[in-house]
mmCIF file of all heavy atoms in Angstrom:
data_model
loop_
_atom_site.group_PDB
_atom_site.id
_atom_site.type_symbol
_atom_site.label_atom_id
_atom_site.label_comp_id
_atom_site.label_asym_id
_atom_site.label_seq_id
_atom_site.Cartn_x
_atom_site.Cartn_y
_atom_site.Cartn_z
ATOM 1 N N LEU A 131 44.359 -11.420 -68.530
ATOM 2 C CA LEU A 131 44.602 -11.272 -67.101
ATOM 3 C C LEU A 131 45.924 -10.760 -66.812
ATOM 4 O O LEU A 131 46.046 -9.647 -66.056
ATOM 5 C CB LEU A 131 44.422 -12.723 -66.445
ATOM 6 C CG LEU A 131 44.590 -12.746 -64.943
ATOM 7 C CD1 LEU A 131 43.277 -12.297 -64.264
ATOM 8 C CD2 LEU A 131 44.820 -14.153 -64.496
ATOM 9 N N GLU A 132 47.001 -11.244 -67.309
ATOM 10 C CA GLU A 132 48.365 -10.819 -66.982
ATOM 11 C C GLU A 132 48.650 -9.494 -67.736
ATOM 12 O O GLU A 132 49.349 -8.655 -67.233
ATOM 13 C CB GLU A 132 49.372 -11.899 -67.352
ATOM 14 C CG GLU A 132 49.323 -13.017 -66.418
ATOM 15 C CD GLU A 132 50.355 -14.126 -66.766
ATOM 16 O OE1 GLU A 132 51.242 -13.851 -67.615
ATOM 17 O OE2 GLU A 132 50.162 -15.254 -66.240
ATOM 18 N N TYR A 133 48.118 -9.327 -68.958
ATOM 19 C CA TYR A 133 48.416 -8.171 -69.826
ATOM 20 C C TYR A 133 47.976 -6.924 -69.024
ATOM 21 O O TYR A 133 48.725 -5.884 -69.038
ATOM 22 C CB TYR A 133 47.633 -8.353 -71.111
ATOM 23 C CG TYR A 133 47.760 -7.132 -71.991
ATOM 24 C CD1 TYR A 133 49.020 -6.932 -72.739
ATOM 25 C CD2 TYR A 133 46.795 -6.198 -72.101
ATOM 26 C CE1 TYR A 133 49.127 -5.793 -73.558
ATOM 27 C CE2 TYR A 133 46.899 -5.105 -72.949
ATOM 28 C CZ TYR A 133 48.047 -4.871 -73.623
ATOM 29 O OH TYR A 133 48.216 -3.794 -74.413
ATOM 30 N N PHE A 134 46.839 -6.958 -68.445
ATOM 31 C CA PHE A 134 46.261 -5.832 -67.715
ATOM 32 C C PHE A 134 46.677 -5.781 -66.174
ATOM 33 O O PHE A 134 46.134 -5.004 -65.463
ATOM 34 C CB PHE A 134 44.778 -5.653 -67.888
ATOM 35 C CG PHE A 134 44.295 -5.241 -69.156
ATOM 36 C CD1 PHE A 134 43.626 -6.061 -70.067
ATOM 37 C CD2 PHE A 134 44.648 -3.979 -69.695
ATOM 38 C CE1 PHE A 134 43.173 -5.766 -71.320
ATOM 39 C CE2 PHE A 134 44.204 -3.629 -71.000
ATOM 40 C CZ PHE A 134 43.452 -4.488 -71.764
ATOM 41 N N ASN A 135 47.598 -6.653 -65.769
ATOM 42 C CA ASN A 135 47.974 -6.730 -64.377
ATOM 43 C C ASN A 135 46.852 -6.908 -63.434
ATOM 44 O O ASN A 135 46.709 -6.243 -62.446
ATOM 45 C CB ASN A 135 48.778 -5.478 -64.031
ATOM 46 C CG ASN A 135 50.008 -5.295 -64.854
ATOM 47 O OD1 ASN A 135 50.730 -6.324 -65.056
ATOM 48 N ND2 ASN A 135 50.332 -4.186 -65.263
ATOM 49 N N LEU A 136 45.875 -7.844 -63.795
ATOM 50 C CA LEU A 136 44.713 -8.110 -62.979
ATOM 51 C C LEU A 136 45.004 -9.158 -61.905
ATOM 52 O O LEU A 136 45.505 -10.138 -62.197
ATOM 53 C CB LEU A 136 43.559 -8.420 -63.885
ATOM 54 C CG LEU A 136 43.091 -7.428 -64.883
ATOM 55 C CD1 LEU A 136 42.138 -8.065 -65.841
ATOM 56 C CD2 LEU A 136 42.552 -6.199 -64.254
ATOM 57 N N VAL A 137 44.550 -8.956 -60.762
ATOM 58 C CA VAL A 137 44.603 -9.924 -59.616
ATOM 59 C C VAL A 137 43.184 -10.411 -59.480
ATOM 60 O O VAL A 137 42.306 -9.588 -59.309
ATOM 61 C CB VAL A 137 45.150 -9.302 -58.307
ATOM 62 C CG1 VAL A 137 45.023 -10.292 -57.175
ATOM 63 C CG2 VAL A 137 46.548 -8.670 -58.484
ATOM 64 N N SER A 138 42.978 -11.749 -59.620
ATOM 65 C CA SER A 138 41.665 -12.178 -59.688
ATOM 66 C C SER A 138 41.353 -13.315 -58.622
ATOM 67 O O SER A 138 42.266 -13.841 -58.065
ATOM 68 C CB SER A 138 41.262 -12.763 -61.082
ATOM 69 O OG SER A 138 42.137 -13.918 -61.336
ATOM 70 N N LYS A 139 40.122 -13.549 -58.458
ATOM 71 C CA LYS A 139 39.685 -14.616 -57.537
ATOM 72 C C LYS A 139 38.460 -15.234 -58.232
ATOM 73 O O LYS A 139 37.815 -14.656 -59.039
ATOM 74 C CB LYS A 139 39.410 -14.185 -56.166
ATOM 75 C CG LYS A 139 38.332 -13.168 -56.007
ATOM 76 C CD LYS A 139 38.094 -12.700 -54.667
ATOM 77 C CE LYS A 139 37.123 -11.617 -54.496
ATOM 78 N NZ LYS A 139 37.012 -11.036 -53.196
ATOM 79 N N GLU A 140 38.118 -16.474 -57.750
ATOM 80 C CA GLU A 140 36.935 -17.191 -58.344
ATOM 81 C C GLU A 140 35.703 -16.339 -58.005
ATOM 82 O O GLU A 140 35.641 -15.550 -57.003
ATOM 83 C CB GLU A 140 36.749 -18.568 -57.680
ATOM 84 C CG GLU A 140 37.838 -19.567 -58.202
ATOM 85 C CD GLU A 140 37.601 -20.947 -57.690
ATOM 86 O OE1 GLU A 140 36.520 -21.276 -57.285
ATOM 87 O OE2 GLU A 140 38.526 -21.666 -57.758
ATOM 88 N N SER A 141 34.646 -16.462 -58.886
ATOM 89 C CA SER A 141 33.409 -15.661 -58.832
ATOM 90 C C SER A 141 32.283 -16.649 -58.864
ATOM 91 O O SER A 141 32.383 -17.639 -59.687
ATOM 92 C CB SER A 141 33.415 -14.653 -59.854
ATOM 93 O OG SER A 141 32.117 -14.052 -59.906
ATOM 94 N N LYS A 142 31.245 -16.332 -58.262
ATOM 95 C CA LYS A 142 30.003 -17.153 -58.509
ATOM 96 C C LYS A 142 29.121 -16.622 -59.618
ATOM 97 O O LYS A 142 28.144 -17.165 -60.013
ATOM 98 C CB LYS A 142 29.169 -17.101 -57.136
ATOM 99 C CG LYS A 142 29.806 -17.839 -56.028
ATOM 100 C CD LYS A 142 29.065 -17.793 -54.778
ATOM 101 C CE LYS A 142 29.768 -18.551 -53.683
ATOM 102 N NZ LYS A 142 29.200 -18.554 -52.421
ATOM 103 N N ILE A 143 29.543 -15.428 -60.152
ATOM 104 C CA ILE A 143 28.807 -14.783 -61.310
ATOM 105 C C ILE A 143 28.911 -15.693 -62.542
ATOM 106 O O ILE A 143 30.011 -16.224 -62.839
ATOM 107 C CB ILE A 143 29.347 -13.388 -61.538
ATOM 108 C CG1 ILE A 143 29.198 -12.461 -60.452
ATOM 109 C CG2 ILE A 143 28.782 -12.817 -62.804
ATOM 110 C CD1 ILE A 143 29.912 -11.154 -60.521
ATOM 111 N N LYS A 144 27.862 -15.899 -63.261
ATOM 112 C CA LYS A 144 27.865 -16.683 -64.433
ATOM 113 C C LYS A 144 27.657 -15.603 -65.527
ATOM 114 O O LYS A 144 26.666 -14.814 -65.517
ATOM 115 C CB LYS A 144 26.784 -17.734 -64.599
ATOM 116 C CG LYS A 144 26.954 -18.733 -63.510
ATOM 117 C CD LYS A 144 28.155 -19.694 -63.787
ATOM 118 C CE LYS A 144 28.200 -20.868 -62.806
ATOM 119 N NZ LYS A 144 29.311 -21.600 -62.955
ATOM 120 N N ALA A 145 28.468 -15.598 -66.640
ATOM 121 C CA ALA A 145 28.394 -14.611 -67.692
ATOM 122 C C ALA A 145 27.464 -15.215 -68.836
ATOM 123 O O ALA A 145 27.420 -16.440 -69.078
ATOM 124 C CB ALA A 145 29.686 -14.231 -68.257
ATOM 125 N N ALA A 146 26.887 -14.237 -69.518
ATOM 126 C CA ALA A 146 26.063 -14.615 -70.668
ATOM 127 C C ALA A 146 26.122 -13.535 -71.742
ATOM 128 O O ALA A 146 26.204 -12.381 -71.284
ATOM 129 C CB ALA A 146 24.617 -14.973 -70.305
ATOM 130 N N GLY A 147 26.005 -13.823 -73.059
ATOM 131 C CA GLY A 147 26.073 -12.837 -73.942
ATOM 132 C C GLY A 147 26.591 -13.372 -75.304
ATOM 133 O O GLY A 147 27.268 -14.332 -75.387
ATOM 134 N N ALA A 148 26.132 -12.732 -76.365
ATOM 135 C CA ALA A 148 26.523 -13.014 -77.751
ATOM 136 C C ALA A 148 26.378 -14.471 -78.056
ATOM 137 O O ALA A 148 27.313 -15.116 -78.601
ATOM 138 C CB ALA A 148 27.880 -12.450 -78.040
ATOM 139 N N GLY A 149 25.304 -15.162 -77.679
ATOM 140 C CA GLY A 149 25.111 -16.480 -77.988
ATOM 141 C C GLY A 149 25.699 -17.534 -76.977
ATOM 142 O O GLY A 149 25.377 -18.724 -77.168
ATOM 143 N N ALA A 150 26.418 -17.112 -75.954
ATOM 144 C CA ALA A 150 26.955 -18.029 -74.992
ATOM 145 C C ALA A 150 26.288 -17.755 -73.630
ATOM 146 O O ALA A 150 25.959 -16.661 -73.301
ATOM 147 C CB ALA A 150 28.421 -17.876 -74.908
ATOM 148 N N THR A 151 26.056 -18.774 -72.825
ATOM 149 C CA THR A 151 25.474 -18.607 -71.497
ATOM 150 C C THR A 151 26.166 -19.438 -70.445
ATOM 151 O O THR A 151 26.949 -20.347 -70.749
ATOM 152 C CB THR A 151 23.943 -19.001 -71.546
ATOM 153 O OG1 THR A 151 23.895 -20.465 -71.875
ATOM 154 C CG2 THR A 151 23.168 -18.217 -72.527
ATOM 155 N N ASN A 152 25.996 -19.127 -69.240
ATOM 156 C CA ASN A 152 26.450 -19.878 -68.117
ATOM 157 C C ASN A 152 27.905 -20.004 -68.069
ATOM 158 O O ASN A 152 28.487 -21.156 -67.755
ATOM 159 C CB ASN A 152 25.761 -21.268 -68.048
ATOM 160 C CG ASN A 152 25.558 -21.704 -66.665
ATOM 161 O OD1 ASN A 152 25.516 -20.933 -65.707
ATOM 162 N ND2 ASN A 152 25.547 -23.064 -66.455
ATOM 163 N N MET A 153 28.672 -19.034 -68.511
ATOM 164 C CA MET A 153 30.200 -19.086 -68.526
ATOM 165 C C MET A 153 30.732 -18.808 -67.214
ATOM 166 O O MET A 153 30.392 -17.886 -66.494
ATOM 167 C CB MET A 153 30.602 -18.134 -69.651
ATOM 168 C CG MET A 153 30.211 -18.440 -71.029
ATOM 169 S SD MET A 153 30.856 -17.303 -72.185
ATOM 170 C CE MET A 153 29.839 -15.885 -71.815
ATOM 171 N N GLU A 154 31.805 -19.570 -66.858
ATOM 172 C CA GLU A 154 32.553 -19.300 -65.652
ATOM 173 C C GLU A 154 33.252 -18.021 -65.693
ATOM 174 O O GLU A 154 33.746 -17.532 -66.772
ATOM 175 C CB GLU A 154 33.587 -20.475 -65.391
ATOM 176 C CG GLU A 154 32.950 -21.826 -65.241
ATOM 177 C CD GLU A 154 32.155 -21.984 -63.984
ATOM 178 O OE1 GLU A 154 32.469 -21.459 -62.967
ATOM 179 O OE2 GLU A 154 31.087 -22.676 -64.045
ATOM 180 N N THR A 155 33.311 -17.320 -64.556
ATOM 181 C CA THR A 155 34.039 -16.035 -64.473
ATOM 182 C C THR A 155 35.033 -15.999 -63.328
ATOM 183 O O THR A 155 34.926 -16.797 -62.344
ATOM 184 C CB THR A 155 32.987 -14.895 -64.312
ATOM 185 O OG1 THR A 155 32.413 -15.083 -63.074
ATOM 186 C CG2 THR A 155 31.996 -14.877 -65.460
#
Side-chain angles (χ1 to χ4, degrees):
L131 180 78
E132 291 179 14
Y133 178 77
F134 288 113
N135 300 316
L136 299 169
V137 177
S138 66
K139 60 183 178 183
E140 289 186 18
S141 170
K142 293 180 183 176
I143 298 170
K144 298 289 184 187
T151 60
N152 211 27
M153 294 179 289
E154 297 293 324
T155 65

